[in-house]
Amino acid sequence: MARSVLLILLPIITGYLLLPIASAAYSLPTGYRQVAMIYGVPPELLYVVALNESSALLTAGRLPWPWTINVAGKGYHYATRLEAWSALNNFLKSHPRKRIDVGISQINLGWNGHHFNSTWDAFDPYLNLKAAAVILRACYSRNPGSWLNAAGCFHRPAGGLASKSYKTRVNNNLIILYAGHLEVSDASIKHGYSWIEPKRKER
């Protein structure tokens, strides 16, 4: 990754789509709030999903990075959108689409590529986040009550250990982000977009 290019891009993207996970003064980037409001998804969840999927260690901290590709379980970060798109075209020659995830939310091209008009569009951070929000909302609608479960469904709709492990990672990042355990109800989505996870009842 060309560090000089990242340093140029970082001030442009920071504040709209990027936020260091260890940031002391919490302020969710504008882009996540904008997309979340459209699809009724907690913006905190959308941000942490992106962080889980595409995080890169930059000078400002560990941040979601839009020019990211995962091929058969191996992640690649690129300095520019054009570099990522060119690499994707090469990967598509040797790997099936269901083995390739792209963009800031790592949308799988085989299962969810229909959300984009082109592979170039798949790297657009806002279009990629919109696809993630649609998937998260659909997961929640099928099994309402827990956005953590929706996150697990986003990663692995069939459930199982992969989904459980992903939910744990999401929850751990939320704890770091807010120093608390977070979730949201449909009512709170409509009135401020805060997210507080209901505590388990003691047996």
Side-chain angles (χ1 to χ4, degrees), residues 7 9 40 54 59 72-73 79 91 93 112 127 141 149 155 158 162 192 196 203:
L7 291 175
L9 288 175
S54 66
T59 54
F91 284 130
K93 296 174 183 178
N112 293 297
L127 294 179
S141 296
N149 286 341
H155 181 71
I196 301 174
R203 292 186 177 182

Side-chain angles (χ1 to χ4, degrees), residues 33 35 37 45 53 56-57 70 81 95 97 99 104 136 141 152 177 184 193 199:
R33 292 190 180 279
V35 175
M37 289 177 66
L45 177 66
E53 294 290 344
L57 187 58
N70 186 292
R81 181 178 182 177
H95 293 79
R97 287 176 175 251
R99 299 288 285 166
I104 200 166
L136 284 166
S141 296
L177 188 66
V184 74
Y193 292 80
K199 296 181 178 179

Side-chain angles (χ1 to χ4, degrees), residues 105-116:
S105 308
Q106 290 293 275
I107 303 300
N108 184 272
L109 289 182
W111 295 108
N112 293 297
H114 59 277
H115 290 286
F116 311 111

Side-chain angles (χ1 to χ4, degrees), residues 16-175:
Y16 291 92
L17 293 173
L18 305 183
L19 172 73
I21 189 63
S23 176
Y26 169 70
S27 179
L28 196 71
T30 302
Y32 297 90
R33 292 190 180 279
Q34 290 175 342
V35 175
M37 289 177 66
I38 295 171
Y39 296 99
V41 171
E44 299 88 351
L45 177 66
L46 195 58
Y47 175 77
V48 171
V49 163
L51 185 71
N52 276 0
E53 294 290 344
S54 66
S55 65
L57 187 58
L58 307 175
T59 54
R62 186 164 64 90
L63 304 169
W65 189 248
W67 326 135
T68 300
I69 304 174
N70 186 292
V71 181
K74 183 176 180 180
Y76 302 86
H77 296 302
Y78 299 92
T80 69
R81 181 178 182 177
L82 181 58
E83 286 183 19
W85 181 71
S86 297
L88 174 61
N89 288 330
N90 287 329
F91 284 130
L92 286 170
K93 296 174 183 178
S94 57
H95 293 79
R97 287 176 175 251
K98 288 183 180 179
R99 299 288 285 166
I100 301 176
D101 305 327
V102 302
I104 200 166
S105 308
Q106 290 293 275
I107 303 300
N108 184 272
L109 289 182
W111 295 108
N112 293 297
H114 59 277
H115 290 286
F116 311 111
N117 291 326
S118 66
T119 54
W120 177 257
D121 283 351
F123 286 105
D124 181 295
Y126 285 92
L127 294 179
N128 199 278
L129 283 175
K130 287 179 181 179
V134 168
I135 297 167
L136 284 166
R137 186 71 233 187
C139 284
Y140 185 85
S141 296
R142 287 196 297 269
N143 185 24
S146 172
W147 283 103
L148 287 178
N149 286 341
C153 167
F154 172 87
H155 181 71
R156 180 76 171 183
L161 291 177
S163 176
K164 183 177 180 180
S165 176
Y166 191 82
K167 287 191 292 183
T168 298
R169 295 199 305 274
V170 166
N171 191 57
N172 288 343
N173 277 332
L174 286 167
I175 290 172

